Amino acid sequence: MTRSTSRAGFRALHHHDLPLVLPNAWDVPSALAFVEAGFEAVGTTSFGVASGLGRPDGGRSTRDANLALARALAPLPVHVSVDIEDGYSDDPDEVAAYVSALVAVAGVNIEDSTAETLVEPAAHAAKVAAVKRRCPEVFVNARVDTYWLGQDATVAATLERAARYVEAGADGVFVPGATDPAVLRELAAAVPVPLNVLAIPALSPAELAELGVRRVSTGSLPYRAALHAAVAVAEAVRGGGSVPEGTPYPALQARLVDYASGLA
């Protein structure tokens, strides 16, 4: 496999008729599966990566694992965006240095909370600005955790934070936890860069597009669904029930052989 994409191309995906649906992988096989399904871009999930290490999410435990995962995903012929939690540091320059070390990523997602507590908007804006100075071509998706954490979860407070991040150079704004159509419409109308939300079961991509949403992330849902499916298979075997379908072994093996051959 060879990388046939550009960072400018990733930016353009946020301006199609329908929102960019970004599936979030946690390792090479999950990313390969999304590529096989035809997705043009793949994100990562800090929860899935942290969980794979046996660690809880949000504790800066994924720093080294995400560096390794970015290197592993670099050969894929799709755009890759990495979830870097809060940047793994309170120092903006250290955050920027970390982003510059990520191999061939088209974008990063960086959140304005640490240890499940909102940080001062100025502190997060400084991180965004530092990343854009050092890596101007990387799409910085600034995450606003007001609704996600239930802290200052109002449109006004969210927009105030978003405005600071956009002024600092953010290319997109991510507001996980915001699900009310009226809230989403108001946010999208006021934020001058693409608005990103988590997938909302009650709203299709077309309906989200009508509200002004430009990007939809699956977050940790695919990882959590995979664990749920794995338990369902084991329980079906134990109970003598009908075993759920899985991707055939030869298909998965072929993907890995193809991937490995590209590394040779």
Side-chain angles (χ1 to χ4, degrees), residues 237-252:
V237 172
R238 180 178 62 186
S242 177
V243 177
E245 290 187 10
T247 304
Y249 174 91
L252 291 177

Side-chain angles (χ1 to χ4, degrees), residues 50 66 146 160 198-199 201:
N66 268 332
T146 48
E160 182 179 353
L198 281 176

